[in-house]
Amino acid sequence: MAPSSKADKKGAADAGAWMFNVVTSVGIIIVNKALMATYGFSYATTLTGMHFATTTLMTVVLRWLGYIQASHLPFPELLKFVVFANFSIVGMNVSLMWNSVGFYQIAKLSIIPVSCLLEVLFDKIRYSRDTKLSIGVVLLGVGVCTVTDVSVNVKGFIAAFFAVWSTAVQQYYVHYLQRKYSLSSFNLLGHTAPSQAATLLLLGPFLDYWLTNKRIDTYDYNAVSVMFIVLSCIIAVGTNLSQFICIGRFTAVSFQVLGHMKTVLVLIMGFFFFGKDGLNLHVVLGMTIAVVGMIWYSNASSKPGGKERRSLSLPTSRQQKQSNLSESNENNGKV
């Protein structure tokens, strides 16, 4: 009874973490879309800096209340994380500006195979055939949903390349740092959010001006737009936290694969907001393929051998051989 109840609790916690991430991620997409499309607040990088500033405030309050314990993260590790994370944010914004929407979506999809490569190289993860095929089905389904016009140019390709690799490395690093330094999601956010907030708030206005040719200090602020900015920052706290929770509990690959459920939900909600133009036959077909792939991935990766660390099995077998040899030598000596 005890093992099954522990497994049930873990399953419920995992489902809760995913639901938390899905709800906050979809919520922030809707709020930001209204803020940028309806109220013309097109300063994406600076807004992200505001998000991390709000997240920093949350971690300070929680540490003051005693919910976050003191922890240590070496400065070189923090510096590498902030560089990768900020390159990811800036790279995605620049990629969206320089590329067609179709190629931008392809670039986002390619984060999954890059994350797989990182796990194979550094964590010695081995994927089963079913796990690989299920990832392919998810990529196919989301591609059918989202990829329309595809045009490529040199500077757009370079921006997408840096965006994809920095995003994959940053998400891999979340799992790596939590595991290596025994950091909780709150602890890691407490270390990284202040640095990201400072750098993005400092560089964001200049980058946004370069991307949009608009200065943030000239924006026509009003009560409604400020309300949406505040709401975006509040939801972003949950989005940042849930991302660290999900990657910490699972891996960056699982976060990316199952995270495309958010894409499906955004498309469905787009149908309700924008009518039938947002949901046609090929989009429905793509969503169906993607959901089937996500279910298949969840089942395949959770099976024995579906996704395992090779470096853990090899030492065990060697240790068993060495112990058997030592036992045989002891027996020969006694005889």
Side-chain angles (χ1 to χ4, degrees), residues 22-158:
V22 168
V23 170
T24 55
S25 298
V26 173
I28 200 169
I29 288 172
I30 294 172
V31 171
N32 286 352
K33 187 171 184 179
L35 179 61
M36 293 180 181
T38 306
Y39 297 100
F41 191 86
S42 55
Y43 313 98
T45 309
T46 307
L47 181 62
T48 306
M50 296 178 188
H51 292 167
F52 281 107
T54 310
T55 304
T56 300
L57 180 62
M58 181 269 295
T59 58
V60 169
V61 172
L62 289 178
R63 184 177 287 112
W64 178 66
L65 294 174
Y67 290 104
I68 300 180
Q69 304 302 320
S71 60
H72 174 67
L73 180 64
F75 179 75
E77 300 279 29
L78 174 62
L79 182 62
K80 284 187 285 186
F81 179 89
V82 172
V83 169
F84 289 133
N86 287 353
F87 261 107
S88 170
I89 295 166
V90 174
M92 282 298 178
N93 289 339
V94 174
S95 176
L96 182 58
M97 183 185 73
W98 285 351
N99 291 308
S100 65
V101 175
F103 187 75
Y104 173 77
Q105 291 294 342
I106 290 176
K108 286 182 68 177
L109 289 176
S110 63
I111 294 173
I112 293 178
V114 172
S115 297
C116 290
L117 178 63
L118 292 175
E119 288 191 355
V120 169
L121 291 177
F122 297 110
D123 289 345
K124 308 302 179 186
I125 296 292
R126 179 171 54 195
Y127 297 93
S128 68
R129 183 177 64 89
D130 281 358
T131 304
K132 294 174 186 176
L133 289 174
S134 65
I135 292 174
V137 171
V138 172
L139 292 174
L140 174 64
V142 177
V144 171
C145 286
T146 59
V147 177
T148 52
D149 61 311
V150 178
S151 59
V152 186
N153 59 77
V154 175
K155 66 177 184 178
F157 178 83
I158 294 173

Side-chain angles (χ1 to χ4, degrees), residues 94-265:
V94 174
S95 176
L96 182 58
M97 183 185 73
W98 285 351
N99 291 308
S100 65
V101 175
F103 187 75
Y104 173 77
Q105 291 294 342
I106 290 176
K108 286 182 68 177
L109 289 176
S110 63
I111 294 173
I112 293 178
V114 172
S115 297
C116 290
L117 178 63
L118 292 175
E119 288 191 355
V120 169
L121 291 177
F122 297 110
D123 289 345
K124 308 302 179 186
I125 296 292
R126 179 171 54 195
Y127 297 93
S128 68
R129 183 177 64 89
D130 281 358
T131 304
K132 294 174 186 176
L133 289 174
S134 65
I135 292 174
V137 171
V138 172
L139 292 174
L140 174 64
V142 177
V144 171
C145 286
T146 59
V147 177
T148 52
D149 61 311
V150 178
S151 59
V152 186
N153 59 77
V154 175
K155 66 177 184 178
F157 178 83
I158 294 173
F161 178 84
F162 279 103
V164 167
W165 276 92
S166 58
T167 301
V169 172
Q170 182 260 340
Q171 292 184 354
Y172 171 83
Y173 224 54
V174 170
H175 187 73
Y176 168 81
L177 292 177
Q178 290 191 46
R179 191 177 60 207
K180 181 176 181 180
Y181 296 102
S182 301
L183 297 172
S184 68
S185 303
F186 286 105
N187 287 136
L188 187 55
L189 265 180
H191 288 293
T192 60
S195 300
Q196 284 191 262
T199 52
L200 290 174
L201 287 176
L202 181 64
L203 300 176
F206 300 100
L207 182 65
D208 289 330
Y209 178 73
W210 176 55
L211 293 173
T212 65
N213 203 29
K214 296 177 182 178
R215 287 169 40 187
I216 192 170
D217 60 310
T218 61
Y219 177 73
D220 184 21
Y221 294 92
N222 56 62
V224 179
S225 63
V226 170
M227 181 195 71
F228 271 99
I229 292 172
V230 172
L231 182 59
S232 177
C233 291
I234 292 172
I235 299 175
V237 174
T239 306
N240 292 332
L241 178 60
S242 63
Q243 180 190 28
F244 279 30
I245 292 174
C246 288
I247 296 177
R249 295 183 71 89
F250 310 101
T251 62
V253 172
S254 295
F255 178 76
Q256 280 289 332
V257 173
L258 299 179
H260 278 297
M261 179 59 72
K262 294 174 284 191
T263 305
V264 174
L265 290 176

